[in-house]
Amino acid sequence: MYKLVASDMDETFLDGHHRIPAANLNALRRMRELGVLFVPSSGRPYQSIMANFVDIDQELLQDSYVISYNGGFINRYGDPTPILSTTINREAIEFLYRYGVEHHLAMHIYTPSGKIFTQFLPPEEVAYVKTITGVIPLSDDCTSLDFVGDEDLVKILYMNSDFDAVKRLGAEMRSLLDPSLVDITYSSKRYAEFVPAGVNKGTGLAHLAELLGISIAETIGVGDSANDLAMIEAAGLGVGVANVTDDTRPYCDLVLDTPAHDGAFAELLERVIEPEHQ
């Protein structure tokens, strides 16, 4: 019997405006009644994830957890102090930032405190990040990481609306980076994400399952993109929403018929969770 559902947020649990569809909110209520723990799992910071739930009944996520920064951080829901945290090698991220500046690449740079610095964003991405908490735009003439001071960094991503170009860039960067320090993954059909080596949503889910004393076979992982793949593969049941990307779809045990913007968790509840409690 499944005891925990870990879900990606953007393009999986949320609609295109970073809101929770009504169908998903109803599914959360029912999962709570059945004793199934819902755990948000995102590449975004904890603080940004929490902003998505500010208007809901907080009882629905009481005693739950949040997996953030692609599995690098785990928090108890409602507690901003992480119980697990991983940051990226400073020299590696300084190289990635300089490379982004030199090639004028659209970038997001993430800190443990929840700040998301952005630079060189095209208009459509500027409009998109306005719906995300913690975003701080940088001027185009910023050329070093002095703006973060001594604070560690968690990850950096490059953005391009041409996803094929993003993947080509990621492939080119692999030969320039030490694989013992940095891993590369992809998300939202426009991002190449550079994260600490060995960090992914699958390891985050495994750490949380161990903390809770449950088998990872008793978990469900739900996502839509390559940065969800490790979680989808690690979970007892790996689920893709209908809009799951082509590179992730083959690894899903189940692909739902409902896309994220329509609230796919009602279908997950009906097809998988409810039958186990009859």
Side-chain angles (χ1 to χ4, degrees):
M1 183 172 290
Y2 296 113
K3 298 180 178 178
L4 183 155
V5 176
S7 174
D8 173 55
M9 295 294 289
D10 305 327
E11 289 92 41
T12 298
F13 188 71
L14 303 177
D15 65 18
H17 302 284
H18 278 94
R19 296 181 300 221
I20 304 173
N24 286 353
L25 195 55
N26 290 333
L28 279 191
R29 294 190 183 97
R30 181 56 178 158
M31 287 166 58
R32 189 74 181 179
E33 292 173 358
L34 296 173
V36 178
L37 198 66
F38 176 80
V39 175
S41 179
S42 174
R44 291 192 279 116
Y46 166 82
Q47 294 87 346
S48 178
I49 299 168
M50 288 293 290
N52 296 132
F53 294 96
V54 69
D55 294 326
I56 76 164
D57 180 359
Q58 297 301 296
E59 291 292 321
L60 293 178
L61 290 171
Q62 184 178 1
D63 301 322
S64 189
Y65 293 79
V66 174
I67 300 171
S68 61
Y69 289 129
N70 300 81
F73 280 51
I74 297 177
N75 288 67
R76 292 181 177 88
Y77 187 82
D79 185 351
T81 302
I83 56 178
L84 170 73
S85 61
T86 308
T87 55
I88 197 166
N89 176 268
R90 185 72 178 208
E91 290 184 4
I93 202 163
E94 285 179 348
F95 166 77
L96 285 162
Y97 179 69
R98 289 195 306 270
Y99 187 95
V101 169
E102 290 168 6
H103 293 82
H104 207 79
L105 301 175
M107 292 185 285
H108 297 201
I109 305 102
Y110 294 75
T111 73
S113 60
K115 300 183 185 75
I116 307 171
F117 294 95
T118 61
Q119 195 170 15
F120 308 131
L121 300 189
E124 67 272 17
E125 187 72 0
V126 171
Y128 174 77
V129 300
K130 285 181 179 178
T131 65
I132 299 176
T133 299
V135 173
I136 303 171
L138 298 171
S139 64
D140 287 357
D141 59 2
C142 183
T143 59
S144 76
L145 290 176
D146 291 346
F147 57 86
V148 298
D150 295 330
E151 186 173 11
D152 289 330
L153 292 167
V154 180
K155 69 173 185 176
I156 187 170
L157 60 81
Y158 298 154
M159 174 268 166
N160 191 321
S161 56
D162 181 345
F163 198 33
D164 288 335
V166 167
K167 290 183 175 180
R168 288 195 299 270
L169 177 59
E172 292 169 6
M173 296 303 296
R174 286 191 186 278
S175 64
L176 303 177
L177 296 167
D178 184 342
S180 70
L181 299 177
V182 181
D183 281 341
I184 306 173
T185 188
Y186 302 93
S187 62
S188 299
K189 297 183 180 179
R190 63 184 183 278
Y191 300 134
E193 303 197 32
F194 302 88
V195 300
V199 166
N200 57 63
K201 293 183 183 181
T203 60
L205 178 58
H207 286 309
L208 181 56
E210 182 178 8
L211 175 69
L212 297 176
I214 65 174
S215 168
I216 200 164
E218 298 173 302
T219 68
I220 298 174
V222 190
D224 73 290
S225 294
N227 72 332
D228 305 315
L229 181 55
M231 179 175 69
I232 286 170
E233 291 189 296
L237 181 70
V239 178
V241 289
N243 51 283
V244 65
T245 56
D246 291 341
D247 55 354
T248 303
R249 182 180 295 267
Y251 300 94
C252 298
D253 300 309
L254 170 66
V255 175
L256 301 173
D257 296 325
T258 312
H261 60 79
D262 287 336
F265 280 72
E267 182 184 346
L268 177 67
L269 182 70
E270 179 183 358
R271 293 179 61 178
V272 177
I273 297 174
E274 289 280 14
E276 289 198 318
H277 291 81
Q278 293 176 353

